[in-house]
Every structure is written in structure tokens, then in C-alpha cells.
Amino acid sequence: MAPQGKIYRGSVKDFQGFDANQDAEALYNAMKGFGSDKEAILDLITSRSNKQRVEICQAYKSLYGKDLIADLKYELTGKFERLIVSLMRPPAYGDAKEIKDAISGVGTDEKCLIEILASRTNQEIHDLVAAYKDAYGRDLEADIVGDTSGHFKKMLVVLLQGAREEDDVVSEDLVEQDAKDLLEAGELKWGTDEAQFIYILGRRSRQHLRLVFDEYLKIAGKPIERSIRGELSGDFEKLMLAVVKCIRSKAEYFAERLYKAMKGLGTRDNTLIRIMVSRSEIDMLDIREVFRTKYEKSLYNMIKEDTSGEYKKALLKLCGGDDDAAGEFFPEAAQVAYRMWELSAVKVELRGTVQPAGDFNDDGDAQVLRKAMKGLGTDEGAIIEVVTKRSNAQRQQIIKAYKAHYGRDLLADLKSELSGSLAKLILGLMLTPAQYDAKQLRKAVEGAGTDESVLIEIMATRNNQEIRAINEAYQEAYHKSLEDDLSSDTSGHFKRILVSLALGNRDEGPENLTQAHEDAKVVAETLKLADVSSNDSSDSLETRFLSILCTRSYPHLRRVFQEFIKMTNHDVEHAIKKRMSGDVRDAFVAIVRSVKNKPAFFADKLYKSMKGAGTDERTLTRIMISRSEIDLFNIRGEFIDLFDKSLHHMIEKDTSGDYRKALLALCGGED
């Protein structure tokens, strides 16, 4: 149960009217005779707390002279048996059994060691060490030392001491010093001082380390996780990342572990069972809500789709409810969301992957391109080498030099020589950014049907200067205004959003705290999450809401969204998804995500363009072109943080030929 003064966040509680002898008798009858009543077993065991299950085991022994766990093992089979038996063990003995299995036999299950030792409190570690000694007559530290090696072993030993500082009083000077020491031990050092990482991440308190991570982001310009990925490797890297994730939010860490256990083909049942059992009386409600917020589906539904039979029924009972149906938003998810808004306010240098060529010669490049297209066949490699290694400004100079030297239109020649996806990519790179965006918008509105996703992506993410340049390019290319085309091709609130964004009149000043609080009230009232005393009509509120999201500056909106969380205990993105629909919802969500973390927004779109069967080459091409000189380097970092694989690797796996070669050149490197 929860400590005094703390709200209980488990999904399994003490059963009211509990009688150990009665339950022992019910289990005995469920296993008596031919076959067993699995439904009765799972209903009883999943609705009792661990403390009550231990009492049932003792009562069973007293009444029948038999070991309940041994009988359950005999009567049940497979994953269901593993789950039920795991529930019968006290938490420390459950962890001890998991670790014993992880290091027994050939090979070691490092992921299991990492998950348990990175996430447990000091007291849980002490209980685990004692349980291991009691159950197996062996010293846990000695067994782990004998089965692991290097810096991975050293960090595991540090965690096994259960000696993390627990003082919530934090020294600002020490926070700054630790952040500086971590930076100097990794990014600023030739080689890496792993001992410094081990000491700070293995010993400092959670509260202290959260502030260290914030300070590190400020001085390094990147999150600590990205530096760990760059400086460390193998199981040691995975362990340190798990420690950082657990310091930030254990609920988020376990939500991610559960998602990965079930996504794709096959299910990692050992991981699924271990987490559902071990967190059911600690923070399952928090895990559920973070899961729902992060993956846009409930843990309940993912278990339902991914498992079967009594095993599924038992897991769903431990899960405790379906958040897709409830639509609630719990404090832990609000805290995770609030932390994300705080991190988004930290200034990070944006970097493209395409830089101006140092030894640039426009006439020389024009000659290389002409030679690549002259005569029979085309040298696509030479074209890719020139076009992807020059900045857009340099490409415009090459176009002029080509015209002056040969009296020909370079874009027309490229169009006649190239084809397919490569042609679209190369020709897109030869346009100015404003011309390219204008062309994409024109394609999105012309002909039958409208590609709303393209309109949203471009209009929601461009700054004032970019929007104004797009308007000019659109007028010049198509002899009509962008605003007119958007107005004639869309309707309702969606049209109003796009037209407002097309004006390029977003404020560019800093946050205004007083105004942010008032704006947060309007947002809360519009999303029906607060009963703010207001004489505004519904239509007037929606107009003000639209105005806030479409015209307030990014720093100001970050503050608005933080105030919104404090006011409602909801994240604004989650609330919009729950209470809006269609293109209006998608447009507002894109604005919110762009405000929160624009590189992460594009990383997510790139991932979705390549995951699953088939590739959305239009989206992939558009983002790689438009972000290559702005923030593609940052997008790469967010991509690997979000999806545990590099953008380079995914492009390499998902595309082919010269198109792949050109995309990888724009990507600029493997992370």
C-alpha cells in the first residue's frame, strides 16, 4: 500500500473482507479432481494484494500440508502459469528469481538486470539482496560480478549497494558542478571518463539528478541521453540510459518497456509479465496514463490485441482498466507533460546537415552537371554529389552559371534526364525553400480532393519570414494569392486556422506571464476542462482560442501550456485530441507539437513515413528537403531518442538506389 500521505497508484488493492483460509479452500477446490478451474484461480489471485497472497500460501500449507505454488505449477501451463506463480511471490523474491534466471545457464539476460537494478529504490534493492541470499544461499553481488564485465559490471555493483542519496535538499552549486563534470567526462574529453558517469548517476538523489539533467541541456545544447548514446556503448550505454529514464520518470520508462514488449511481431512475454506483476501495486495507474498519452492507445487495448486466453484475462485484471474508455489524465502524465514543456523552453542551437561548400565554384559545378547529363546515359552519382553537397543559395548560383555558360535551363535538363523519386528530390532541392513550399501547397489544393496533411505540416511549422516568402513565391508562380486558394479549398474552423497562419503575423516577443494565465483560462474553457466565469459565447471562445494558438509567440505559448497543466492537470495536446476531431484537431495538434519541439514533430513524421509496409516518399522527400539546412541534425537526434534507431539506418533499410544515396547524403551521417 502507499506510504502515509501519498496517493496509492497501484491497480491491485487489498481485497475487502479478506479471509485467507476461505481463499485457500477455494483454490484447493479449483485444482481438485480432473482439470482445474483456471477462471476461478485467476479471478481470486489477481484481486488479492501480494501481502494477502502470501497469507493464502501459509493458510494453504496449514490446511492441506501442501505447497500452493508447487500445486499451481503442476495444474497450470505456459505463460499463464508463469504469470500466476509470479504473483504469488513477495516482490523481493520475485526480483531475486528474475535475476537468478537472467544470470543462470548459457548467456545473460542483460535487459532484465538493467530493468530491475536501474528502477528499484534503495529499500527494494536491500530487500532483493536479502531475498536472493535466503532463496539461493548465494551472494548476489558475487554472482553478478562473475557473470558481467567492464563498466557495465561496475555500474551494476554501484546500484546493488542501494546507496543512492535520498536527501531532497539540493545544492545549486553541486548541480552546476555535476553537469559540468559530466560534460567534461564525455563531450569535451578525448575518450570518455566512465568513472565520472558511474559516480554521479549511481549515487546522486533523483531530485538532484533531474536538475543536473536540466543544467546539462543548457550547457551542452543536447539532452544527457544523446551524449550517453554518443559516448558510451553496449550494455553499459543501455544501463545508463535506463538509469536516466528512471530518474526522469519510472512510469514513462515502464510504459516504454511495455510498448516495446508488445509492438511488432511476437510478444516478449517475460518482460510483459515481470512489469505487470512488479508494478501492479506501485504505479500501474501512472504507467497506464503515460502509455495512453505517449502511444495514443491504452495499455489495456494493446494487451487485449496482443495476448489471448486466461493469460490475457489475468493481465487485463492487473492492468485494472481501459483508459481509451475513461479518458482520464492522471498526475504522473501531467508531470511528464509539464517536464516536456520546461525542456522545450531551453534554447538549443538548431543545425542543418547541409552546409555551404567551402571551395565552391559555380561555373565548375555547372560544367560537372552538364557533363553528367550529356550524351548517352546519365551520371546520377555526379549529380547527387554536387546537388546534395551545396547549400540552396549555392544551387541558385549554379542555375545562373549553367544558363550563362550553356544557354540552357538546368531544371529542364535535370527533369528530362532524371525520373521517379530521385527526380522529385533533386528538382526540389534546386528550388528556393519558398518556391518549394509554394509548389507543395499548390499540389495539395489543386485537382480533386485536398491533401490537408501537407497544408497542416507547412502552415503550422513555418515562421513569419518563411510564410511571407511563401506568399510571394506562390503569387509569382501561380498568379493568385495563397490565402484565396486556401479559402476556396477548405471550410469552417480549418479554413480560419490556415488563413490566420498564412498571414505570417505571429507575435515574436517573449512570454507574458499575466497574459499566459488568462490565455490558459480561455484554452481550458474552450476544451471544457474548466468552468471559467466568462460572458463569452461558445463561438467567441473558439475565436479567441484560435487566435491564441495562431498568433501568440512560441515562448509565450510554452508558458500558456504550462499554466494550462497547472490549472487543469491535463496536457493541452492530450485534451485537444480528446475533445476535437478531424482537420481542426490535426492542425491544432501540429501547432502544439511544433511549439513544444519542432525537430521531434518532424522526426515523428519521418518515422511514420517509413514504418510498416510501403514508404510515403512524398512526405519523406518533402521533409528531407525542407529541413536539410534548418534543423535536420536536431531531427536526427530526436529520431534516435524517440525510436531507438537512427534516421540514417531507417532510410538505408527503407529506400533503394540513387534515391537512397541522395537521401543519405542529405541525412549527413549515422548516429
Side-chain angles (χ1 to χ4, degrees):
M1 291 295 118
Q4 196 167 4
K6 190 176 179 185
I7 298 170
Y8 182 69
R9 302 300 295 153
S11 55
V12 175
K13 301 173 183 173
D14 283 337
F15 185 75
Q16 297 303 306
F18 171 66
D19 184 323
N21 287 335
Q22 193 176 311
D23 284 350
E25 187 179 346
L27 288 171
Y28 179 78
N29 289 332
M31 294 185 282
K32 193 169 66 174
F34 187 73
S36 54
D37 187 346
K38 297 181 180 66
E39 193 87 29
I41 293 169
L42 81 85
D43 273 341
L44 193 151
I45 288 175
T46 58
S47 58
R48 305 298 187 270
S49 67
N50 187 269
K51 179 171 153 291
Q52 291 175 333
R53 292 183 210 119
V54 171
E55 288 182 47
I56 295 168
C57 282
Q58 292 164 349
Y60 194 90
K61 188 87 165 177
S62 298
L63 287 171
Y64 306 108
K66 301 176 77 173
D67 184 283
L68 176 55
I69 290 179
D71 280 3
L72 288 167
K73 280 183 177 178
Y74 180 78
E75 290 292 332
L76 308 176
T77 58
K79 295 172 282 194
F80 180 56
E81 176 258 316
R82 293 209 308 272
L83 175 59
I84 294 298
V85 168
S86 295
L87 285 165
M88 301 308 296
R89 296 190 183 99
Y93 284 83
D95 282 349
K97 173 76 164 60
E98 290 291 322
I99 286 185
K100 186 75 169 74
D101 290 347
I103 57 179
S104 296
V106 180
T108 306
D109 183 353
E110 290 85 2
K111 288 180 180 175
C112 173
L113 295 181
I114 289 168
E115 180 196 299
I116 292 173
L117 295 181
S119 66
R120 301 315 191 239
T121 64
N122 286 347
Q123 189 57 55
E124 287 167 343
I125 292 285
H126 298 155
D127 293 345
L128 159 62
V129 170
Y132 192 90
K133 184 78 172 174
D134 181 50
Y136 306 110
R138 299 176 65 87
D139 181 70
L140 178 54
E141 184 179 324
D143 279 0
I144 282 180
V145 166
D147 213 63
T148 57
S149 61
H151 297 298
F152 179 57
K153 174 180 74 177
K154 289 175 189 171
M155 184 61 177
L156 290 175
V157 169
V158 166
L159 294 173
L160 266 176
Q161 307 316 301
R164 185 177 296 286
E165 295 163 2
E166 294 181 328
D167 187 359
D168 281 340
V169 179
V170 175
S171 159
E172 286 184 22
D173 290 342
L174 187 56
V175 165
E176 289 177 11
Q177 187 59 52
D178 280 350
K180 187 164 168 277
D181 288 346
L182 287 171
L183 185 61
E184 289 175 352
E187 295 283 342
L188 301 182
K189 188 179 179 68
W190 182 260
T192 306
D193 183 357
E194 289 87 353
Q196 193 71 274
F197 277 86
I198 290 170
Y199 179 77
I200 294 172
L201 295 183
R203 297 297 300 275
R204 299 285 194 240
S205 73
R206 292 184 72 198
Q207 184 62 26
H208 175 86
L209 283 174
R210 283 178 186 145
L211 295 174
V212 169
F213 300 157
D214 291 347
E215 180 65 22
Y216 187 91
L217 180 63
K218 288 177 192 170
I219 63 174
K222 62 172 75 171
I224 185 74
E225 292 92 332
R226 205 167 299 161
S227 293
I228 287 171
R229 283 197 177 94
E231 297 298 322
L232 311 180
S233 62
D235 293 322
F236 181 48
E237 174 201 338
K238 290 171 188 159
L239 174 58
M240 297 308 253
L241 286 172
V243 169
V244 170
K245 286 176 182 176
C246 287
I247 294 296
R248 289 197 189 278
S249 167
K250 284 185 189 177
E252 192 172 5
Y253 171 71
F254 284 114
E256 184 182 322
R257 293 277 296 153
L258 285 167
Y259 179 74
K260 287 179 178 174
M262 291 182 280
K263 76 166 186 173
L265 292 172
T267 305
R268 297 179 180 89
D269 292 294
N270 285 348
T271 301
L272 181 55
I273 291 168
R274 183 171 59 246
I275 296 173
M276 294 302 292
V277 170
S278 67
R279 309 314 293 184
S280 61
E281 294 184 47
I282 300 174
D283 53 5
M284 184 57 70
L285 297 185
D286 294 328
I287 292 167
R288 270 171 40 187
E289 185 50 34
V290 172
F291 192 101
R292 175 67 186 79
T293 304
K294 194 167 182 178
Y295 302 111
E296 299 180 16
K297 76 186 302 182
S298 68
L299 174 59
Y300 187 95
N301 269 327
M302 198 153 182
I303 290 170
K304 200 172 175 182
E305 291 166 8
D306 214 62
T307 59
S308 61
E310 281 86 10
Y311 176 55
K312 173 173 78 175
K313 288 177 188 172
L315 287 171
L316 292 177
K317 291 264 285 185
L318 293 179
C319 183
D322 183 2
D323 300 302
D324 282 344
E328 298 174 61
F329 197 80
F330 294 126
E332 178 68 22
Q335 287 170 22
V336 170
Y338 191 85
R339 175 172 58 80
M340 291 308 296
W341 285 114
E342 284 186 320
L343 290 175
S344 75
V346 177
K347 280 281 185 189
V348 175
E349 182 194 356
L350 297 179
R351 286 171 55 191
T353 52
V354 175
Q355 312 295 333
D359 53 350
F360 177 61
N361 180 333
D362 55 1
D363 197 57
D365 285 345
Q367 289 179 50
V368 170
L369 290 173
R370 179 64 184 147
K371 184 181 177 186
M373 295 185 282
K374 202 173 175 182
L376 288 173
T378 305
D379 186 350
E380 286 89 353
I383 295 170
I384 291 167
E385 180 65 24
V386 169
V387 174
T388 61
K389 299 292 171 64
R390 306 295 183 268
S391 68
N392 191 271
Q394 290 175 333
R395 292 183 208 120
Q396 302 314 308
Q397 289 179 249
I398 295 169
I399 291 171
K400 290 174 185 172
Y402 193 90
K403 185 82 167 178
H405 200 102
Y406 302 107
R408 300 173 66 91
D409 184 322
L410 176 55
L411 269 71
D413 282 359
L414 287 167
K415 195 171 184 179
S416 70
E417 292 292 328
L418 304 174
S419 62
S421 304
L422 178 64
K424 291 186 178 76
L425 181 63
I426 295 297
L427 288 166
L429 287 166
M430 298 308 297
L431 297 173
T432 67
Q435 287 170 342
Y436 183 71
D437 279 348
K439 186 173 183 181
Q440 299 308 303
L441 290 167
R442 178 68 175 169
K443 281 183 178 177
V445 296
E446 70 180 351
T450 305
D451 190 340
E452 291 85 1
S453 65
V454 173
L455 300 181
I456 291 168
E457 178 198 305
I458 294 174
M459 301 308 297
T461 61
R462 303 313 193 244
N463 62 35
N464 288 344
Q465 190 178 345
E466 289 166 338
I467 291 285
R468 289 165 194 158
I470 291 168
N471 276 307
E472 287 176 21
Y474 199 94
Q475 182 72 48
E476 186 180 338
Y478 308 111
H479 309 295
K480 58 198 312 190
S481 77
L482 173 60
E483 184 182 330
D484 286 348
D485 270 2
L486 291 173
S487 295
S488 64
D489 213 61
T490 57
S491 61
H493 287 305
F494 184 52
K495 175 174 81 173
R496 290 171 62 195
I497 294 166
L498 293 178
V499 169
S500 179
L501 293 172
L503 296 174
N505 281 335
R506 187 178 290 283
D507 296 339
E508 294 179 343
E511 66 182 57
N512 177 325
L513 187 53
T514 305
Q515 183 63 55
H517 189 73
E518 290 305 310
D519 287 348
K521 281 184 184 178
V522 172
V523 173
E525 177 75 352
T526 309
L527 294 172
K528 297 179 173 54
L529 287 170
D531 187 16
V532 181
S533 55
S534 167
N535 296 320
D536 288 343
S537 66
S538 173
D539 192 56
S540 174
L541 273 170
E542 286 172 356
T543 299
R544 288 175 65 193
F545 177 80
L546 188 150
S547 175
I548 289 165
L549 265 69
C550 294
T551 66
R552 299 286 196 257
S553 72
Y554 273 28
H556 181 80
L557 283 173
R558 290 187 188 105
R559 177 59 64 187
V560 171
F561 299 151
Q562 283 180 286
E563 290 297 306
F564 179 85
I565 292 171
K566 284 197 268 186
M567 194 178 291
T568 67
N569 214 26
H570 285 63
D571 176 58
V572 70
E573 181 183 337
H574 185 267
I576 288 169
K577 285 177 181 172
K578 277 287 178 189
R579 287 160 177 81
M580 294 185 171
S581 61
D583 298 327
V584 171
R585 176 200 60 207
D586 293 345
F588 282 138
V589 165
I591 292 169
V592 170
R593 286 184 170 178
S594 185
V595 170
K596 185 189 292 184
N597 185 335
K598 201 177 285 187
F601 169 77
F602 284 114
D604 182 62
K605 284 192 72 76
L606 283 170
Y607 178 75
K608 286 174 179 169
S609 76
M610 291 182 280
K611 76 166 187 172
T615 304
D616 178 0
E617 289 184 352
R618 192 175 170 196
T619 298
L620 177 58
T621 299
R622 184 175 62 250
I623 296 174
M624 294 298 288
I625 289 172
S626 65
R627 311 314 295 181
S628 60
E629 292 184 55
I630 299 173
D631 54 4
L632 189 52
F633 182 82
N634 307 81
I635 291 168
R636 274 170 37 189
E638 295 294 340
F639 195 99
I640 201 165
D641 287 348
L642 288 167
F643 307 112
D644 285 334
K645 59 182 76 176
S646 70
L647 176 59
H648 186 282
H649 171 77
M650 203 150 177
I651 289 170
E652 198 167 43
K653 183 173 68 73
D654 215 62
T655 59
S656 61
D658 291 318
Y659 178 57
R660 174 171 65 188
K661 192 186 294 182
L663 287 172
L664 292 177
L666 291 178
C667 184
E670 171 64 280
D671 297 298

